[in-house]
Amino acid sequence: MIQFIQNLGRNTCISFNKLGRSTYFLLQTMSGMFSVLGRPRLLLNQMYSVGVLSFLIITISGLFVGMVLGLQGFYTLSDFGAEETLGVMVAASLVRELGPVVSALLFAGRAGSALTAEIGLMKATEQLSGMEMMAVDPIKRIITPRFLAGLISMPILAALFSAVGIIGGQMIGCGLLGVDEGAYWSQMQANIDFQDDIINGVIKSIVFGFVTSWIALFEGYDAIPTSEGVSRATTRTVVNSAFSILGLDFILTALMFGDN
Amino acid sequence: MDNSVSSQDSLVSVRNLSFSRGNQKIFDNISLDFQRGKITAIMGPSGTGKTTLLKLIGGQLFPDKGTITVDGQNVHNLRRTELYNLRKRLGMLFQSGALLTDMNVFDNVAFPLREHTHLPESMIRTLVLMKLQAVGLRGARKLMPNELSGGMSRRVALARAIALDPMMILYDEPFTGQDPISMGVLVHLIKSLNSTLGLTSIIVSHDVHDTSAIADYIYVLSGGKIVGEGTPKEIQESDSEWVQQFMTGAADGPVHFHYPAKDYVDDLMSSGKRY
Amino acid sequence: MQHTSTQDTLVGLFVASGIVGLFFLAMQVSNLTSFVDEDSYTVTARFDNSGGLKIKSPVSAAGVKVGKVSSIYLDPKTYQSVVQLSINSKFNTLPDDTTASIFTAGLLGEQYVNLEPGGSDVYLQKNGKIEITQSAIILEKVIGQFLFKSAEEKK
Ligand SMILES: Nc1ncnc2c1ncn2[C@@H]1O[C@H](COP(=O)(O)OP(=O)(O)O)[C@@H](O)[C@H]1O
Ligand SMILES: [Mg+2]
């Protein structure tokens, strides 16, 4: 029993310690923002590896998710004779929930894990330490550009996911199952609100991009500098990002869509 | 401590330094001096804290007690920008080379120049090629770090360390794991860099033979203490058991071959325990 | 650092595709294009019961969407529901004897305001009033009346 309480106490201390360190890390990262904006080359290179390289997985997944929504939505809605509202259903699910959430989960798996592994290995091979000794701040030089790239890429990827998904839903719904194309789009336009749905979806994806990049970079920076330490940090990135994305999604949804 | 060598001549002086990691005391009140323009070696068995000492000098770790002054500045009292300005004048050669793996040899050597100067790209090219020429790797400029052998990596790292024309270079075990030829190349390089550029060098090593050949002064560390110091000749003739064991490579002596453990026979007989 | 221009081009395309995606969501998917406030005028209608009508519920005439509900409040004196309708300025020829009714799209669907134009030559003006209204049909009420009636008939 005493053992249990001791362990509990120790683990609580460790968690708070980690939270504190990660917050400090985040502040340091953000303080490097301005110097990165002065060096767009660094940001551009990271936009490539964080954003462009996630493009394919996001758009292909978005297309398939949209097609499945079209199919499932059609069968459910046709029971009520409400096939014309298929567009609304597909678009609302994608823009509000699936677009930001699924693309953030994929982003954590594709780009987040890669970031953790990259930073962790740079630490393990003393590259970060070496940079410090060359009077170059590794946070400003290495971390901040990656953080910024994640922050910018995530809303782009989520928007692409939703857009491609809506087109996928239309392909299945209108092309295959015979829903009227005019109804698909006009019902959608009548019911999807720019402010409430689109903007809120974008806000969600920015929050997820922020959190996922933060977790991925911190886990890499904080990794035990051995191959085992880096592999465990990579796993933690994916698990912690997934939890944070889903938990935050619940909170954000409650805040945004709660009052109507 | 022997301060008779006039400490105003020393570029780095370590005074009454104590440092521990957790419960492990790594340095226990040691003082060392590193003379300007000289090559000073720090020797000792692995795990004594040689790398730790270099990191303390570079301001990456903080001592528990004592001070370290580099060129008249107390490293651990400096503000961040001052520390960074000091580091620009220090070159450090890491044990692993620590080359940036996503850049080729040329960009690695150009890295400190691009970060710290606003020189035009043509000037950077000239400087980088000069540094690469000095380490004999001008022809390897397009290779990536994973295409280099261990010896070549260290030479590239050396070219990078001298890119900003530092006043001092810290070498962390530059000879470990090198074949005799690249070892010879490195020994020659370190020596010639020191004399032609007027550098001060600190070499961490446990290679007795080669270090003796180039060092002007040697400190032998063990168990958190300085167990011997002097010119290579003095060290070789030292009557300290510690130093003799280290220099001759005897398996047992004041430095034990075995990690502290209970009695061997008892340990074997106490069956039933897992470890 | 790879200074390849292909990479830069791809990053450029990536960002551009993101902007196109967002533009698509804004213009094609959402109602951003439908009504901007300056292009509309407000008229008021009073209902005894506005049922499940909400702000932003559609307003349509002959099945065509012409505007949306901009506010709903209770008149403290008459205890009527005051509904303000924001009508697109394109539809500025609604007669002043137009009837406003609250209908339900489908059996369980969303409620909307239906406008039934009358025969008057005078058009509804900005801040005008729709005098003839028909309240929402409250399903529970209808069922209740129906049961009550059939119970009386049986007696
Ligand atoms: N990051 C660290 N955390 C905890 N202990 C460390 C760390 N780095 C080194 N040590 C310990 O400090 C001691 C000295 O290490 P080091 O300076 O690398 O030795 P050397 O370079 O002389 O081989 C070792 O016993 C090692 O276990
Ligand atoms: Mg070492």
Side-chain angles (χ1 to χ4, degrees), chain C residues 13-90:
Chain C
L13 282 175
F14 172 67
V15 175
S17 72
I19 293 170
V20 169
L22 267 177
F23 192 76
F24 169 78
L25 291 181
M27 294 313 188
Q28 181 73 15
V29 173
S30 83
N31 58 357
L32 187 65
T33 39
S34 352
F35 304 107
V36 187
D37 280 350
E38 304 109 61
D39 292 328
S40 65
Y41 63 98
T42 307
V43 297
T44 314
R46 295 169 165 268
F47 295 94
D48 292 336
N49 191 331
S50 61
L53 205 63
K54 287 180 299 204
I55 290 174
K56 285 192 191 132
S57 290
V59 176
S60 53
V64 179
K65 190 173 176 194
V66 297
K68 62 183 178 193
V69 172
S70 57
S71 81
I72 301 176
Y73 61 92
L74 183 70
D75 185 322
K77 292 203 187 87
T78 62
Y79 305 112
Q80 278 182 314
S81 168
V82 183
V83 177
Q84 291 195 310
L85 310 175
S86 168
I87 314 257
N88 192 327
S89 310
K90 273 193 290 188

Side-chain angles (χ1 to χ4, degrees), chain A residues 14 16 35 45 49 56 64 77 79 97 99-100 114 124 128-129 135 152-153 155 159 164 166 179 210 229 243 250 260:
Chain A
I14 290 173
F16 277 115
S35 60
N45 284 345
S49 48
L56 260 193
F64 280 115
L77 292 172
D79 286 348
E97 290 296 334
L128 297 183
S129 209
I152 298 173
S153 299
V164 170
I166 288 167
V179 174
F210 184 96
F243 276 138
F250 174 74
N260 61 328

Side-chain angles (χ1 to χ4, degrees), chain A residues 225, chain B residues 19 21-22 24 26-27 44-55 61 95 172-173 204 206 221:
Chain B
F19 182 79
R21 284 209 194 258
Q24 187 190 5
I26 294 183
F27 299 118
S46 62
T48 13
K50 303 183 296 295
T51 303
T52 309
L53 183 61
L54 293 189
K55 289 196 169 167
L61 295 173
Q95 232 161 318
D172 194 354
E173 310 211 0
V204 155
H206 47 230
L221 288 180

Side-chain angles (χ1 to χ4, degrees), chain A residues 123-134:
Chain A
K123 185 179 179 187
T125 54
E126 292 187 306
Q127 294 182 52
L128 297 183
S129 209
M131 237 176 236
E132 252 175 49
M133 282 305 295
M134 286 187 278

Side-chain angles (χ1 to χ4, degrees), chain A residues 39 126 132 134 137 141, chain B residues 60 80 87 96 115-116:
Chain A
R39 295 179 67 181
E126 292 187 306
E132 252 175 49
M134 286 187 278
D137 183 350
R141 180 63 176 68
Chain B
Q60 286 192 307
R80 197 182 152 78
R87 281 182 184 166
S96 58
E115 291 294 320
H116 294 310

Side-chain angles (χ1 to χ4, degrees), chain A residues 128-151:
Chain A
L128 297 183
S129 209
M131 237 176 236
E132 252 175 49
M133 282 305 295
M134 286 187 278
V136 175
D137 183 350
I139 297 223
K140 281 204 179 93
R141 180 63 176 68
I142 299 291
I143 305 290
T144 310
R146 285 164 173 75
F147 181 74
L148 216 54
L151 207 59

